Amino acid sequence: MGTISLEHSNRLYWLGRYTERFFTTLKALGDLYDKMLDTQHGYTDYLGCFGLADTYADNAAFLRSFLFDNANSNSAVYSLERAYDNGIVLREEISTTSLSFLQMAKDTLEKAQNSTNIRLSLLPLEDILYAFWGCINEHIYDDEIRNIIYIGKTVERLDLYMRMKYPYPIVEKEFIRLLKNLNRVPRSTPFRYQTKPLSDLVEILGTEADYDRESKRAISSLSRLFEAGEVSV
């Protein structure tokens, strides 16, 4: 297969990013759930990680918005819808089977909105997302396509982990994973990373002390790793 277009490269990248954002957002909200049982506005630290103001009346209003409000660009449903939109365009590249798992996730999330036990109704989503990634590995034979998706996935995970102040060993592991994915993309691809931000990341994430001191600069450098913006659906 020849080198794919820049537009499709961007879509593959954002498919990976939005799918991972959906997955990690769900996990983070699940971790918050127990805390919010005992604490009013128990989500404020989470909002602070992303520089967001607390405009919610209570824990329930926060959860509803961050799970089901498509007008909230930080919500789980927003990320899932954007992943699905890109998946529709990329159906031939990723396979109908892979796309079907994103549809299954959409259906599950929609049903959960009307459930009397939201937390329980969300449990199948983790397995659905793992099945999606399994299909990506099984049905995509072009290494360039697969690796661009995984670059998006790893960039998103690294960004969220740094914003949520994950321990350095976990951040370091994801950065090493990103470096491996970057090295696997053919040099002929039009979807290339910027060397200066990558060099800055290597410097900052080289030691735990540097990461603790300059995590904000690391987040900024990661955001500039790819100059190309998101393709509108």
Side-chain angles (χ1 to χ4, degrees):
M1 179 177 177
T3 300
I4 57 178
S5 69
L6 179 58
E7 178 182 347
H8 270 215
S9 296
N10 283 335
R11 290 192 183 279
L12 291 164
Y13 173 76
W14 283 101
L15 171 64
R17 288 203 66 161
Y18 277 124
T19 305
E20 179 60 31
R21 190 178 302 178
F22 171 65
F23 181 76
T24 300
T25 298
L26 280 180
K27 290 185 66 177
L29 294 177
D31 291 341
L32 280 175
Y33 191 87
D34 289 335
K35 180 180 180 180
M36 289 190 291
L37 289 176
D38 302 319
T39 307
Q40 287 294 321
H41 295 265
Y43 50 83
T44 53
D45 287 345
Y46 179 82
L47 291 176
C49 291
F50 302 96
L52 301 173
D54 182 4
T55 60
Y56 305 97
D58 52 29
N59 292 333
F62 164 80
L63 276 177
R64 282 280 172 184
S65 178
F66 273 74
L67 283 171
F68 306 120
D69 184 3
N70 203 12
N72 178 358
S73 62
N74 297 289
S75 70
V77 68
Y78 182 92
S79 296
L80 181 57
E81 290 291 346
R82 303 294 82 72
Y84 184 79
D85 289 344
N86 281 291
I88 286 286
V89 178
L90 299 166
R91 183 194 302 263
E92 291 188 9
E93 286 87 349
I94 68 172
S95 81
T96 301
T97 305
S98 298
L99 183 63
S100 71
F101 283 104
L102 293 181
Q103 180 65 62
M104 191 182 302
K106 278 165 52 73
D107 294 342
T108 301
L109 190 62
E110 183 176 354
K111 290 178 182 177
Q113 188 169 0
N114 300 314
S115 173
T116 56
N117 189 332
I118 291 177
R119 191 179 191 187
L120 182 63
S121 64
L122 293 174
L123 289 179
L125 284 169
E126 183 171 339
D127 287 339
I128 292 170
L129 267 293
Y130 282 134
F132 167 78
W133 288 112
C135 276
I136 291 294
N137 284 322
E138 179 70 21
H139 292 285
I140 296 179
Y141 299 101
D142 188 287
D143 289 339
E144 182 178 3
I145 289 174
R146 185 189 307 106
N147 289 332
I148 291 174
I149 296 173
Y150 271 91
I151 286 171
K153 172 184 171 70
T154 314
V155 165
E156 186 64 33
R157 180 177 291 184
L158 184 59
D159 178 76
L160 293 173
Y161 282 10
M162 290 194 294
R163 291 180 188 275
M164 292 189 286
K165 300 177 175 60
Y166 272 54
Y168 173 73
I170 297 176
V171 170
E172 181 188 33
K173 178 181 176 181
E174 293 306 322
F175 182 54
I176 292 171
R177 194 193 307 269
L178 174 60
L179 291 176
K180 290 179 179 178
N181 288 333
L182 290 173
N183 287 332
R184 292 189 182 112
V185 175
R187 293 184 179 276
S188 59
T189 182
F191 195 76
R192 301 300 298 169
Y193 60 83
Q194 304 297 309
T195 56
K196 180 59 168 65
L198 182 61
S199 176
D200 290 342
L201 284 168
V202 170
E203 174 190 340
I204 298 167
L205 299 180
T207 68
E208 185 169 1
D210 287 336
Y211 169 65
D212 290 341
R213 185 173 57 253
E214 298 195 80
S215 59
K216 289 184 179 179
R217 187 160 75 93
I219 294 169
S220 175
S221 296
L222 185 64
S223 72
R224 293 182 286 107
L225 190 58
F226 293 98
E227 293 294 340
E230 181 181 356
V231 177
S232 299
V233 176

